[in-house]
Amino acid sequence: MNVATSIAEGPGVSPARTAALRAEAEALYLGTRPNTRAAAGAAAHLLDGVPMHWMVDWSTPVPLVIREAQGARLVDVDGHGYDDFCLGDTASLFGHGPPPVAEALARQARAGLATMLPSPDAGIVGDLLAERFGLPYWQVATTATDANRFALRAARAATGRPRILVFDGAYHGAVDETFVEIGPDGRVGNRPALMGEPRDLSQLTRVVPFNDLDALEAALADNTVACVITEPVMTNCAMVLPQPGFHEGLREITRRHGTLLLIDETHTLSTGPGGYTREHGLQPDMFVAGKAIAGGIPAAVWGMNEPTAERFRAARTNRPDGHSGMGTTLSGSPLQLAALRATLEQVATGDAYAHMNRLAGRMAAGLSEILADARLPWHVARCGARVEVVRAPAPLTDGRQAKGAHYPALEATIHLALLVRGVLISPFHDMMLASPATTETQVERLIEATRQVIGRLVN
């Protein structure tokens, strides 16, 4: 990446200062982490030296190797500690290794990990999910990607329709057919970064801008769309909040056209105990949550309302036994159910969310003050315990604007400069989370580190 060229486009910052800060942070990182450098060189049989190739997308010159994660703190293999506001990009929204989850896992490990049969926790987990999120029927998957994939397949089976609709710029895990976007020329096609996909995914996926109810109406008019899949707040880009009336219009239009509405709350669980859906009274036909829902254990859930469940059951009638396209052997395992129960009963509580939201409010206020003092044309967006610095002067309305608010090289410099100051935020955009384990002292350290970094960037 040509850092100097890329950061020259960053709004309100000095390119020369940014390049100097990047060079200083890189030198400090490499000079104080010999074990990290050695670990990178020793991982010769891992592709790109990491167990998942996108782990090299962080801002660090060589991958950061973590020895221990507890609560809201990380310690790397060189003994450096970090206040963790990334929290596994929401996977550890409730902190690393919540004690009730760790204890439940230890108990379950002695009683069996994978049986392909329900454990006594199964019915209890179903009751907890129904009470918390308001939908009566649930299934357990291993990732949010799987849950979204299964829910879309169920939606097509229930409706008998071939198409789905996604909002431009959204992300719903590695679900092939959601990797479609509106290009600069206004045409819909596969995302340029998508690898190994020979199909034109736009044949069965429609794409419209978030918050655009007229475009949604037009896209559903021929009654061939089985399901609209959406986050209630777009979070996998620069954060885009729903405009007033958007969710009411989305629900009315989908119902009128017989299209199911699937709300993916994998990231917006940051809002409150019942997610954004319960907090704002949304009425989805289907619901997905992953990552944090089991305290960081690989698990996801997908649920449906009574009418959708009835149609799905009817679609399965008289089909032969065998592969339905939904499954994976480890889905619904006793291990997942133990972690789900512990998280829902003891970790993701109302008191926990009150603490998280209070600290997120302080983060948002402190960061907003820094931006105002620096006279930067940026703003702070928030979704419950989730806070993000957005490099645009006003709230965004759609994915196109979100894409335009990204400055990857500038962001990488800020992330690395924060990291060497002992603060870790999300690598893909300026997202920060507060967990039940996060402290006021950690939040104040984040604010002070950000003040120092921003002070180095502006003229």
Side-chain angles (χ1 to χ4, degrees):
M1 178 184 294
N2 186 330
V3 172
T5 300
S6 300
I7 61 178
E9 301 174 359
V13 301
S14 161
R17 286 176 176 239
T18 308
L21 180 61
R22 173 76 193 192
E24 175 190 290
E26 281 195 4
L28 181 59
Y29 180 88
L30 292 171
T32 57
R33 290 164 178 80
N35 295 332
T36 295
R37 296 199 318 271
H45 292 289
L46 293 175
L47 182 66
D48 297 333
V50 288
M52 191 65 187
H53 66 85
W54 47 253
M55 288 180 177
V56 298
D57 291 346
W58 286 74
S59 59
T60 55
V62 297
L64 184 66
V65 181
I66 298 302
R67 184 181 71 207
E68 183 178 4
Q70 289 188 351
R73 288 281 292 175
L74 304 177
V75 179
D76 69 20
V77 291
D78 289 286
H80 299 286
Y82 306 91
D83 294 322
D84 185 9
F85 294 93
C86 174
L87 294 171
D89 197 31
T90 307
S92 294
L93 173 64
F94 304 115
H96 298 287
V101 175
E103 292 163 10
L105 294 176
R107 288 194 302 271
Q108 188 57 54
R110 292 189 292 270
L113 302 178
T115 61
M116 212 170 69
L117 289 166
S119 72
D121 287 330
I124 296 169
V125 167
D127 291 345
L128 291 167
L129 292 169
E131 179 183 5
R132 181 174 288 247
F133 298 116
L135 295 173
Y137 297 109
W138 292 88
Q139 293 279 273
V140 176
T142 302
T143 67
T145 291
D146 285 342
N148 279 320
R149 185 182 293 121
F150 302 160
L152 290 175
R153 189 175 290 276
R156 283 175 161 137
T159 62
R161 295 179 176 184
R163 293 184 172 83
I164 66 166
L165 183 142
V166 300
F167 290 105
D168 187 42
Y171 179 76
H172 297 285
V175 180
D176 293 350
E177 57 212 295
T178 63
F179 283 91
V180 181
E181 68 179 16
I182 302 172
D185 59 358
R187 299 178 62 183
V188 173
N190 294 6
R191 291 190 179 185
L194 180 61
M195 298 180 64
E197 180 53 74
R199 298 167 295 173
D200 177 3
L201 299 176
S202 68
Q203 295 298 307
L204 292 177
T205 303
R206 290 182 175 166
V207 189
V208 300
F210 195 71
N211 282 314
D212 191 335
L213 293 176
D214 290 338
L216 176 69
E217 179 81 58
L220 301 186
D222 65 359
N223 297 332
T224 65
V225 176
C227 184
V228 171
I229 178 172
T230 184
E231 290 187 289
V233 174
M234 288 182 65
T235 66
N236 273 285
C237 52
M239 193 185 296
V240 181
L241 298 169
Q243 295 290 294
F246 171 70
H247 278 296
E248 293 81 358
L250 171 62
R251 181 66 282 192
E252 189 278 325
I253 292 169
T254 50
R255 279 182 173 151
R256 180 155 40 82
H257 289 286
T259 299
L260 298 178
L261 175 60
L262 166 56
I263 297 216
D264 176 2
E265 290 237 31
T266 296
H267 280 179
T268 54
L269 279 178
S270 59
T271 308
Y276 192 99
T277 292
R278 205 64 183 264
E279 186 77 15
H280 294 272
L282 307 187
Q283 298 179 343
D285 302 296
M286 309 182 82
F287 182 100
V288 162
K291 289 193 181 181
I293 195 67
I297 288 298
V301 296
W302 57 288
M304 61 185 75
N305 61 15
E306 182 77 50
T308 305
E310 289 180 1
R311 296 168 73 183
F312 180 50
R313 288 191 187 109
R316 291 163 56 202
T317 301
N318 297 324
R319 286 182 178 268
D321 294 336
H323 300 132
S324 65
M326 307 175 200
T328 70
T329 304
L330 294 178
S331 293
S333 72
L335 187 74
Q336 292 174 319
L337 292 166
L340 282 163
R341 179 177 177 179
T343 302
L344 295 169
E345 286 186 333
Q346 302 178 65
V347 177
T349 64
D351 288 346
Y353 272 102
H355 174 84
M356 294 157 65
N357 277 296
R358 180 174 60 81
L359 292 188
R362 171 59 187 139
M363 273 196 278
L367 295 171
S368 295
E369 180 183 336
I370 291 168
L371 300 184
D373 289 346
R375 298 183 180 180
L376 283 169
W378 307 348
H379 73 277
V380 175
R382 182 180 165 202
C383 177
R386 186 184 188 93
V387 176
E388 184 166 349
V389 174
V390 181
R391 299 185 208 292
L396 310 175
T397 61
D398 59 35
R400 179 186 60 81
Q401 291 182 4
K403 185 181 294 185
H406 273 303
Y407 298 87
L410 171 61
E411 290 159 12
T413 296
I414 291 172
H415 298 172
L416 184 59
L418 287 173
L419 187 146
V420 297
R421 288 166 171 80
V423 173
L424 188 75
I425 69 173
S426 171
F428 307 119
H429 39 97
D430 282 21
M431 185 275 293
M432 291 145 272
L433 290 163
S435 78
T438 304
T439 66
E440 293 181 7
T441 300
Q442 287 180 300
V443 170
E444 295 306 321
R445 286 199 293 254
L446 163 68
I447 292 170
E448 178 55 30
T450 303
R451 191 182 303 278
Q452 292 176 18
V453 171
I454 294 298
R456 295 288 305 277
L457 291 174
V458 298
N459 291 312

